[in-house]
Amino acid sequence: MKLMVLDGNSILNRAYYGIRPLSTRQGLFTHAIYGFLTTMQRLTDEEQPDALCVTFDRREPTFRHLADESYKAQRKGMPEELAMQLPWMKKVLDAMNIPRYELAGYEADDLIGTISRKCEAAGWQCVVVTGDKDSLQLITEQTTVKLVSTRMGQTTTKDMTPAAFEEQYGFAPIHMIDLKALMGDTSDNIPGVPGVGEKTAMALVQRYGSVDKLYQLLPDIEAKPAAIRKLTEGRESALHSKFLATIITDVPMEFTPEDNLRRPFAPELYDLLLELEFSKLIEKYGLHPAGGETETPDFHAEVEKVITVERAEKLLALWRKATSVTVLALPDLRVLAVECTTGEDSSLMAQLTFETYEGDWNALLTALFSADIAKVSHNVKDLMHLLLENGLPAEGFVYDTAIAAYLLDATAGSYDLQRLFVSYYNEELPKPLYLEPDAFSLLGDTATAEASLYSYCSAITALQETTEEKLREKEMWQLFTEVEMPLCSVLAKMELAGFRVDSAELTAFGEMLAGQLKELETRIYAEAGSTFNINSPKQLGKVLFDDLQLPHGKKTKTGWSTNADVLEKLRWQSPVVEDVLQYRQLSKLKSTYADGLLKVIDPDGRVRTNFQMTVTATGRLSSTEPNLQNIPTRTELGSQMRRMFVADPGWVLVDADYSQIELRLLAHMAGDELMQEAFRTGADFHTVTAAKVFHVPEKDVTHQMRSSAKAVNFGIVYGISAFSLSQDIGVTVAEAKDYIDRYFATYQGVKAYMDQIIKKAEEQTYVETLMHRRRDLPELKSSNFNLRSFGQRVALNMPIQGTAADVMKMAMVRVDQELQKAGLQARMIMQVHDELIVECPETERQQVEELLERAMEQVVTLAIPLRAEAHSGRNWLEAKG
């Protein structure tokens, strides 16, 4: 039998500091609880213990504090954001029927020590889960310590058995106490022997074992005279430190392993996790409300199935008069639910089904999706794509609850209806059974599918009312109605248009890469003196660090690290490293782009991406399946990929991009007169900056000066540190700091703006763009320095990056409107960062170039002009100019 005991405070702390802050809509922080639960779930899946329990520290002083006032005295109290989670954590554990133990006068470690020994006495195995190395002294053949560490949201563990411990430390686990007695522990204020460090202490314990034996043999031990003197003078401190470091294993507590056997969760766990907005965990644990399956929320909707043309016409007339109707459609457009408010507390839900409708189905859908009916839905862009793909109109959409929720919380990560409903109403929707393949067939449970369809349709109606109020409160209504909603149609048309790819050129390019990879492979084997799998980090690490004995190797759990950072530092140590880096680059280019794109070319020769509107925290669009925004351009070979993207015969590509939009926005938002003047002159801004920073005439600015000024110009937008800048431009940290100081001395308005942004963000815990796009930053209130620093960096760059994203979206809407107004055949097909690509007939080339530049430059009025430059060509590389 096996029992797993978790060090509650240790795991909770690591989750708190290792995971980005999460909170409910009521402001309760939850990331420590979530991290704890996911860690516990993963470890129970891994260990499959028969019994499970958790220990916690208490606020009262322990016997150690009473014996030594300085013990842990330097530790700060629990941060408020963590303290608020502790009672909830305990409630959740209680509802999971997981026993928890805490006892005044003792630490959690002492309870763990006692639990482990009681397990051993009962013939049980014990697994101790903790992030604290103090518990390593408990390791025996029956007790394993599982060390947990959490970094950047990733939790890793290391199993410490007697063999693993001895391999790492060179002595038995029980002597961990003696190691601490000699070297001390600053985190706990255990003094150790003054002057004896870790290296000396390790050597002494490895040779003599216990502190008691060491002092028995003094002064005849094998050590330097100075060390013997320190040990002699520090004897009392060593013995006291050993007392403080020793985990008690006979705490007077009632405990038997059988009392901790795993039991089913209590019904109240569902409500707790619902309140904490842990919908994914509810699903993972298979939880349901106390009454059984989730009931359909009652929205007072009267349901009608529309069969006849006459009734459909009456409903269409009703919907045209309504402020808006909610529409939810199945992916095949064969079943739809339409909800329309008919009174203060009631609404009419209409179900439209292809199989049962007596009239012209396409005519019905054409009427419903025309501009004269205002419609609300969820993920409108995808629905518009589906409609256009089926030759139907896609007009009149006025509200998208997914985009609204995204604007209100840009870092939530997921905006599916189920999660949003839990988040906003603390109520769970039923499973979306209407999406099951046979839901509305003769074989399906039609009644249940229909009920879920109505629930989700009404959920959209409820969310629309709730989120609209919040969008108006937070001044995002204009951003929503004038930018995000019109953009849905633009993106749906772009997705349908796609981007033509020259498959023959792409195939030839892939074959050329294959030839270069073969040459590199042969050369690498010759340089290494053996053949091996170059793509295997383990085999590559052995070749580089064991066989070739290259320096600076870093070992991981699975062997030598061969990540990009490690190899970059070794680039000049051996030609094999340069060749491996080149091999990796070409291999990715071939597999991801050359081969990968060939697989997704549609029969008409075009590749179609999916534009994601609710992914990035800054408001930028992202592209998936395939990602066409990530076509590599930094290398000559990578940029050649753009040559494969071509226009239709007789057509050209027009590529327009903003010139230094983020820097221009910084100049405007900071109100820095000197920076604004530099842009108004029309001169090269990086040269102007270099001249001002280095106090030389512009004609005397060297290439190196301009490069340094350029790095600082762009780095400032991202809150770059002196260290990062030094890495970027290859100078010392002191020189990089000097560059930054000179920059701020030159553009003093920028420095004042950045200080003001940080101060304001810390006061209101969010930042926003010129269009009031908002990003919440709870990190700024964190007691964790790293998280707080992250929040400050985001506070600096999000208003600039986000405003650039807003401007680009506004430009896309404007360009689409102008193209339609001009009656051109030209169509927008791609957006990448600050760049727009339009495909048009050769005869429209000049008109489209002028239209793009004008629309992009005039979309917003700033203190300085925006600049856009358009070029054209038969392929993307040519059109870049």
Side-chain angles (χ1 to χ4, degrees), residues 407 468 470-487 770-773 806 810 813 859-860:
L407 289 181
E468 179 175 336
K470 292 180 183 297
L471 286 173
R472 292 181 185 277
E473 280 175 13
K474 296 184 178 182
E475 299 182 273
M476 285 191 276
W477 186 243
Q478 184 181 4
L479 173 68
F480 178 76
T481 56
E482 297 182 12
V483 181
E484 296 289 351
M485 286 307 301
L487 189 65
L770 287 180
M771 287 288 290
H772 301 292
R773 182 184 301 278
D806 292 344
M810 292 162 69
V813 172
V859 74
V860 65

XYZ file of all heavy atoms in Angstrom, residues 407 468 470-487 770-773 806 810 813 859-860:
251
model
N -12.351 41.406 -25.299
C -11.992 42.791 -24.995
C -12.025 43.050 -23.491
O -11.201 43.795 -22.961
C -12.945 43.754 -25.704
C -12.806 43.869 -27.220
C -13.812 44.881 -27.768
C -11.393 44.270 -27.617
N -22.220 43.936 -22.958
C -22.398 45.265 -23.567
C -22.320 46.354 -22.501
O -21.676 47.401 -22.693
C -23.733 45.360 -24.304
C -23.949 46.739 -24.912
C -25.210 46.854 -25.767
O -25.696 45.831 -26.272
O -25.696 47.994 -25.909
N -20.701 46.262 -19.740
C -19.329 46.390 -19.277
C -18.438 47.072 -20.326
O -17.536 47.845 -19.983
C -18.757 45.012 -18.913
C -19.420 44.394 -17.689
C -18.835 43.037 -17.353
C -19.555 42.395 -16.180
N -19.410 43.164 -14.935
N -18.676 46.788 -21.599
C -17.907 47.444 -22.662
C -18.135 48.950 -22.636
O -17.197 49.742 -22.819
C -18.302 46.890 -24.033
C -17.800 45.494 -24.392
C -18.430 45.032 -25.706
C -16.277 45.463 -24.503
N -19.368 49.348 -22.417
C -19.670 50.782 -22.341
C -19.012 51.409 -21.112
O -18.453 52.505 -21.187
C -21.181 50.998 -22.321
C -21.873 50.640 -23.638
C -23.365 50.905 -23.563
N -24.077 50.481 -24.753
C -24.195 51.200 -25.876
N -23.632 52.404 -25.929
N -24.876 50.745 -26.909
N -19.087 50.698 -19.987
C -18.470 51.203 -18.752
C -16.976 51.447 -18.933
O -16.424 52.425 -18.436
C -18.646 50.178 -17.619
C -19.999 50.192 -16.949
C -20.114 49.054 -15.934
O -19.078 48.440 -15.603
O -21.245 48.792 -15.486
N -16.332 50.537 -19.661
C -14.873 50.609 -19.814
C -14.444 51.347 -21.080
O -13.287 51.257 -21.494
C -14.295 49.183 -19.800
C -14.521 48.491 -18.463
C -13.874 47.119 -18.406
C -14.078 46.496 -17.030
N -13.419 45.177 -16.908
N -15.384 52.067 -21.685
C -15.106 52.921 -22.858
C -14.562 52.146 -24.051
O -13.757 52.659 -24.827
C -14.126 54.044 -22.475
C -14.646 54.968 -21.393
C -13.650 56.088 -21.107
O -12.752 55.894 -20.276
O -13.776 57.152 -21.725
N -15.006 50.896 -24.209
C -14.556 50.096 -25.348
C -15.653 49.894 -26.390
O -15.484 49.106 -27.323
C -14.026 48.742 -24.861
C -12.665 48.825 -24.224
S -11.886 47.213 -23.930
C -12.635 46.758 -22.369
N -16.758 50.593 -26.238
C -17.874 50.391 -27.146
C -17.519 50.804 -28.582
O -17.844 50.119 -29.543
C -19.104 51.166 -26.654
C -20.336 50.900 -27.453
C -21.053 51.781 -28.197
C -21.009 49.642 -27.602
N -22.122 51.163 -28.796
C -22.121 49.839 -28.436
C -20.771 48.364 -27.090
C -22.996 48.825 -28.793
C -21.644 47.352 -27.444
C -22.749 47.578 -28.282
N -16.813 51.945 -28.726
C -16.420 52.399 -30.058
C -15.433 51.418 -30.692
O -15.544 51.099 -31.881
C -15.786 53.791 -29.963
C -15.447 54.370 -31.328
C -14.795 55.737 -31.233
O -14.523 56.245 -30.146
N -14.521 56.349 -32.382
N -14.463 50.933 -29.915
C -13.508 49.945 -30.409
C -14.243 48.698 -30.884
O -13.928 48.136 -31.938
C -12.523 49.580 -29.289
C -11.540 48.439 -29.560
C -10.536 48.837 -30.632
C -10.809 48.046 -28.266
N -15.234 48.282 -30.119
C -15.989 47.070 -30.442
C -16.816 47.260 -31.712
O -16.779 46.422 -32.620
C -16.890 46.714 -29.256
C -17.763 45.512 -29.485
C -17.244 44.229 -29.436
C -19.126 45.656 -29.735
C -18.043 43.105 -29.646
C -19.938 44.555 -29.947
C -19.389 43.280 -29.904
N -17.570 48.360 -31.772
C -18.534 48.538 -32.872
C -17.885 49.035 -34.165
O -18.345 48.709 -35.257
C -19.652 49.515 -32.468
O -19.051 50.753 -32.056
C -20.479 48.946 -31.331
N -16.821 49.832 -34.059
C -16.239 50.450 -35.248
C -14.996 49.735 -35.762
O -14.563 49.981 -36.890
C -15.908 51.924 -34.972
C -17.135 52.762 -34.671
C -16.814 54.234 -34.442
O -15.666 54.642 -34.750
O -17.695 54.964 -33.946
N -14.411 48.874 -34.929
C -13.190 48.187 -35.345
C -13.394 46.671 -35.365
O -13.305 46.029 -36.415
C -11.991 48.552 -34.432
C -10.725 47.834 -34.905
C -11.782 50.058 -34.417
N -13.668 46.088 -34.211
C -13.702 44.624 -34.113
C -14.854 43.992 -34.904
O -14.647 43.013 -35.624
C -13.778 44.197 -32.638
C -12.560 44.578 -31.804
C -11.317 43.765 -32.136
O -11.436 42.783 -32.899
O -10.231 44.113 -31.650
N -16.054 44.526 -34.762
C -17.188 43.910 -35.466
C -17.073 44.053 -36.991
O -17.255 43.068 -37.717
C -18.520 44.486 -34.959
C -18.931 43.979 -33.579
S -18.969 42.170 -33.419
C -20.146 41.714 -34.676
N -16.746 45.242 -37.523
C -16.579 45.327 -38.990
C -15.443 44.444 -39.508
O -15.486 43.973 -40.639
C -16.256 46.819 -39.216
C -16.779 47.522 -38.021
C -16.639 46.566 -36.887
N -14.437 44.218 -38.651
C -13.295 43.409 -39.078
C -13.685 41.954 -39.317
O -13.033 41.250 -40.101
C -12.189 43.490 -38.016
C -10.845 42.877 -38.389
C -10.197 43.629 -39.547
C -9.913 42.867 -37.182
N -4.860 53.882 -27.225
C -5.583 55.120 -27.546
C -7.061 54.853 -27.788
O -7.901 55.719 -27.539
C -4.971 55.764 -28.800
C -3.598 56.426 -28.632
C -3.128 57.006 -29.962
C -3.633 57.522 -27.571
N -7.369 53.637 -28.255
C -8.775 53.280 -28.509
C -9.414 52.620 -27.281
O -10.501 52.056 -27.370
C -8.858 52.312 -29.701
C -8.605 52.966 -31.053
S -9.967 54.023 -31.566
C -11.240 52.812 -31.927
N -8.706 52.656 -26.168
C -9.177 52.109 -24.884
C -9.218 50.587 -24.830
O -9.883 50.001 -23.962
C -10.551 52.670 -24.495
C -10.565 54.165 -24.367
N -9.881 54.831 -23.368
C -11.132 55.127 -25.134
C -10.053 56.126 -23.517
N -10.795 56.344 -24.581
N -8.503 49.915 -25.766
C -8.316 48.475 -25.588
C -7.564 48.290 -24.283
O -6.549 48.944 -24.028
C -7.516 47.884 -26.740
C -7.324 46.362 -26.627
C -6.438 45.839 -27.758
N -7.001 46.130 -29.060
C -7.938 45.402 -29.646
N -8.430 44.329 -29.034
N -8.401 45.734 -30.833
N -4.581 48.249 -33.093
C -5.847 48.935 -33.354
C -5.801 49.698 -34.671
O -6.743 49.656 -35.474
C -6.163 49.922 -32.217
C -6.483 49.238 -30.902
O -6.756 48.014 -30.924
O -6.454 49.905 -29.860
N -8.101 49.120 -37.944
C -8.880 50.223 -38.515
C -8.534 50.402 -39.992
O -9.405 50.667 -40.827
C -8.590 51.515 -37.739
C -9.122 51.500 -36.310
S -8.338 52.761 -35.267
C -8.987 54.254 -35.965
N -10.254 47.720 -42.123
C -11.671 48.036 -42.338
C -11.796 49.153 -43.375
O -12.629 49.077 -44.296
C -12.337 48.442 -41.006
C -13.747 48.953 -41.243
C -12.363 47.264 -40.036
N -6.106 56.867 -41.602
C -7.089 56.175 -40.771
C -7.170 56.755 -39.364
O -8.180 56.627 -38.678
C -6.770 54.657 -40.725
C -5.562 54.366 -39.842
C -7.980 53.869 -40.254
N -6.120 57.421 -38.925
C -6.124 58.022 -37.603
C -5.298 59.306 -37.657
O -4.341 59.400 -38.441
C -5.546 57.046 -36.548
C -4.076 56.750 -36.799
C -5.732 57.565 -35.132
